[in-house]
Amino acid sequence: MSVGVLPILILALSVALFTTLQLILTRTRFGRIVRATADNRDVVRLMGVNPGRVYNVVMGLALALASVAGMLLAMRSSFTPYSGVERLLVAFEVVVLGGLGTFWGAMVGGIILGVAELVGLRFDPNAGPLYAHLLFLTGVLLRPSGLFGPRS
Amino acid sequence: MSAAVLSLLAAGVIAAAAAPWLLGEGILRLLSELLLMLAMAQMWNLLAGYAGLVSMGQQVFVGLGAYCLYMTSISLKLSPYWVLPVAPFFCAAVAAVMALFLFRLREAYFAIGTWVLSEVVSLAISKIDGLGASAAWDCPPRG
């Protein structure tokens, strides 16, 4: 069994981006401002932060990350104008399954759903993401606020 | 309701009832397309606008309604007009079952949950040969 260079590069790059984002959000002044703005934008405004500016930067950062995903997708497989929607739902599922706004949640959720889809396709080749969806629904039913979200 | 609104409503109903004799096939088709959009917009406004339930999976009920109409019309060998009332009840029953667990979810979780559920239903139907798998159905036969 051999492993391609590109998949390894993609894995390394996404883990690096993941970790960097997490470090920015938890360890820097900017990250603290972002988390505070998410919690309460009025209080943040009293502290001399312009929430609109924070949203601009966060939006830019998010779109930059999305463009990296698009570049990696283009390098790895064919794509069409409709390729976005197919991945979008999975991305939502990953975050929701893990719990919104959690680091380990997004990481573990992504791995769980990815493996579930591949295993499902192995046993039932025309199932598409059916089994990943079913796993997602089961997970969300058992933990309505995500695997790593606040316990209700 | 005031008399003006009532008479306007009555005029609308009469105009809609008379439309098949007054308008051509093309306009009728366009009109039903428009009314379909209006019905769906109303559905979503009721859910998200009034009740605050942002659902991304309402397409599942549009699809289930269409499949239900077709399948009952075919299996009972009746005109689709006679089995029209079945689809809403069928969809309501499905919705009641879905609500049992979807209403455990909130906000974004609810939105994504409904979307995923509708994807599951469409993937499941595309795998059932008796429902035509992923083939397209035509207008139900007239009986």
Side-chain angles (χ1 to χ4, degrees):
Chain A
M1 196 180 89
S2 68
V3 181
V5 177
L6 187 61
I8 296 284
L9 267 177
I10 292 177
L11 180 67
L13 186 60
S14 43
V15 169
L17 285 173
F18 222 85
T19 318
T20 316
L21 183 66
Q22 177 65 8
L23 287 178
I24 289 176
L25 284 174
T26 53
R27 297 289 150 84
T28 66
R29 187 183 138 78
F30 169 72
R32 202 160 60 235
I33 291 175
V34 170
R35 285 179 292 132
T37 312
D39 282 344
N40 194 329
R41 53 177 294 167
D42 294 327
V43 171
V44 163
R45 197 192 293 273
L46 292 176
M47 301 296 157
V49 173
N50 179 358
R53 223 186 114 69
V54 177
Y55 291 141
N56 287 349
V57 177
V58 168
M59 193 72 173
L61 209 56
L63 298 189
L65 284 172
S67 79
V68 172
M71 267 159 35
L72 296 177
L73 178 71
M75 285 162 75
R76 197 166 154 63
S77 66
S78 60
F79 56 92
T80 69
Y82 312 103
S83 299
V85 186
E86 293 162 26
R87 271 85 185 177
L88 186 69
L89 181 55
V90 179
F92 278 150
E93 280 176 77
V94 164
V95 179
V96 166
L97 180 64
L100 289 172
T102 60
F103 172 75
W104 289 111
M107 190 82 145
V108 173
I111 291 170
I112 289 177
L113 285 183
V115 170
E117 181 164 343
L118 288 181
V119 171
L121 283 176
R122 176 107 190 142
F123 288 108
D124 191 358
N126 70 344
L130 179 61
Y131 296 101
H133 286 334
L134 289 175
L135 190 73
F136 164 84
L137 286 176
T138 319
V140 159
L141 278 186
L142 297 177
R143 297 291 307 271
S145 49
L147 296 174
F148 289 80
R151 285 173 192 272
S152 46
Chain B
M1 264 189 280
S2 70
V5 174
L6 272 179
S7 49
L8 211 67
L9 208 65
V13 169
I14 292 169
W21 288 279
L22 297 178
L23 304 171
E25 189 134 332
I27 305 273
L28 274 182
R29 200 179 169 77
L30 213 63
L31 204 64
S32 33
E33 199 79 18
L34 187 102
L35 292 172
L36 187 103
M37 293 286 167
L38 191 70
M40 288 207 263
Q42 244 178 336
M43 161 192 79
W44 219 74
N45 191 24
L46 177 66
L47 268 178
Y50 289 97
L53 289 167
V54 178
S55 162
M56 309 269 272
Q58 292 310 109
Q59 60 271 36
V60 71
F61 296 109
V62 178
L64 281 177
Y67 272 87
C68 181
L69 179 74
Y70 197 95
M71 295 332 281
T72 46
S73 169
I74 295 249
S75 53
L76 299 176
K77 296 194 171 57
L78 281 171
S79 155
Y81 295 109
W82 289 112
V83 292
L84 262 182
V86 179
F89 286 104
F90 176 70
C91 285
V94 174
V97 176
M98 285 182 177
L100 288 179
F101 50 97
L102 278 179
F103 282 171
R104 286 165 55 92
L105 309 175
R106 287 281 162 259
E107 292 163 10
Y109 295 85
F110 177 77
I112 302 305
T114 50
W115 188 357
V116 171
L117 202 62
S118 90
E119 283 296 303
V120 165
V121 171
S122 75
L123 283 168
I125 285 182
S126 76
K127 289 176 72 66
I128 300 174
D129 288 328
L131 294 176
S134 43
W137 285 118
D138 252 337
C139 198
R142 280 163 207 174

